[in-house]
Amino acid sequence: MSYFNGTLILLKDKKDPKLFMLDFNENLKSIDVLFQKSNYETIIFNDSRNEEEKEPIELNKSMTHEHIINLVCSWKGLGLLTYRHQDFEYEVWINYLTWDDEYIYGFVLFFAPKDTIYEDNRHEKLIFKISEFVDYKYVVGDINEESKNYISMEEDLDEIEEHILKSSFEIDSRNW
């Protein structure tokens, strides 16, 4: 699949990545959103702000949650992790984001398209539950390349917030 429905959750305040991710992932576990750990899953690292790259790291079942979080936080650009939830056929991805290579400012949740067509809107319900775990400034989606409201995470944070203010989205916390 090449298209994934993405929802951006921007935090009100920047956070220490490790402290945020440890707490956030404990909350995710409480609603059965769990790391996908297998011998073929990887951590995909984001490029740093000065375009440095880091090779993906393969996960294995013996890795603890804390170890996985430490691996993501060991890279200044943070990165993308794969999760599973029993209500979805496919994985849920979370890309942890920084705009200064020091703090976490938000994350993007991704769902496979087939998991967004259920009549009960279960992906929106899960997004809402997840957003309750953080002090967010905005929750907006669909923001992928195929969307009329595409938001590139390569843009400056101020430009992204300006785009959000000028646009309306399928999922928009300003309407909750």
Side-chain angles (χ1 to χ4, degrees):
M1 271 178 220
S2 61
Y3 170 76
F4 300 96
N5 182 298
T7 299
L8 172 63
I9 299 180
L10 283 180
L11 304 175
K12 278 188 181 174
D13 299 304
K14 62 187 177 186
K15 304 284 185 195
D16 174 88
K18 185 174 179 180
L19 295 175
F20 174 83
M21 289 180 67
L22 286 170
D23 183 57
F24 182 64
N25 278 276
E26 281 302 312
N27 286 321
L28 291 177
K29 280 197 275 185
S30 74
I31 58 169
D32 297 321
V33 177
L34 306 170
F35 283 124
Q36 176 74 16
K37 295 189 291 185
S38 66
N39 293 330
Y40 64 89
E41 293 297 330
T42 59
I43 298 172
I44 307 295
F45 293 100
N46 297 321
D47 291 351
S48 68
R49 288 292 130 183
N50 62 0
E51 302 298 321
E52 291 178 76
E53 296 180 15
K54 183 172 178 155
E55 291 296 315
I57 293 177
E58 289 187 19
L59 303 180
N60 63 57
K61 291 180 182 182
S62 68
M63 290 181 171
T64 65
H65 282 70
E66 187 169 0
H67 184 142
I68 294 169
I69 290 168
N70 284 335
L71 288 170
V72 173
C73 293
S74 71
W75 178 243
K76 54 189 165 185
L78 303 176
L80 177 104
L81 291 172
T82 306
Y83 295 81
R84 293 292 302 180
H85 187 279
Q86 73 270 5
D87 290 345
F88 297 93
E89 185 176 349
Y90 298 98
E91 292 90 355
V92 176
W93 295 268
I94 300 178
N95 189 12
Y96 296 95
L97 303 168
T98 180
W99 276 270
D100 63 5
D101 291 341
E102 190 174 343
Y103 296 100
I104 187 167
Y105 288 82
F107 51 93
V108 178
L109 293 165
F110 296 99
F111 294 88
K114 289 184 179 180
D115 280 337
T116 63
I117 58 173
Y118 294 107
E119 289 183 19
D120 63 2
N121 290 322
R122 63 184 71 170
H123 75 288
E124 291 181 19
K125 291 175 184 171
L126 185 60
I127 290 166
F128 183 76
K129 281 183 186 176
I130 290 171
S131 72
E132 291 180 320
F133 295 139
V134 299
D135 191 15
Y136 62 82
K137 188 171 189 177
Y138 302 109
V139 179
V140 293
D142 175 26
I143 53 109
N144 290 324
E145 289 181 20
E146 295 82 3
S147 170
K148 67 178 181 162
N149 286 316
Y150 169 62
I151 298 176
S152 170
M153 297 306 122
E154 302 299 316
E155 301 294 327
D156 289 333
L157 186 55
D158 290 339
E159 292 172 7
I160 290 172
E161 288 190 58
E162 188 176 309
H163 178 84
I164 290 170
L165 292 173
K166 289 192 235 176
S167 304
S168 61
F169 299 88
E170 293 173 33
I171 297 170
D172 194 331
S173 60
R174 296 171 296 175
N175 299 325
W176 293 350

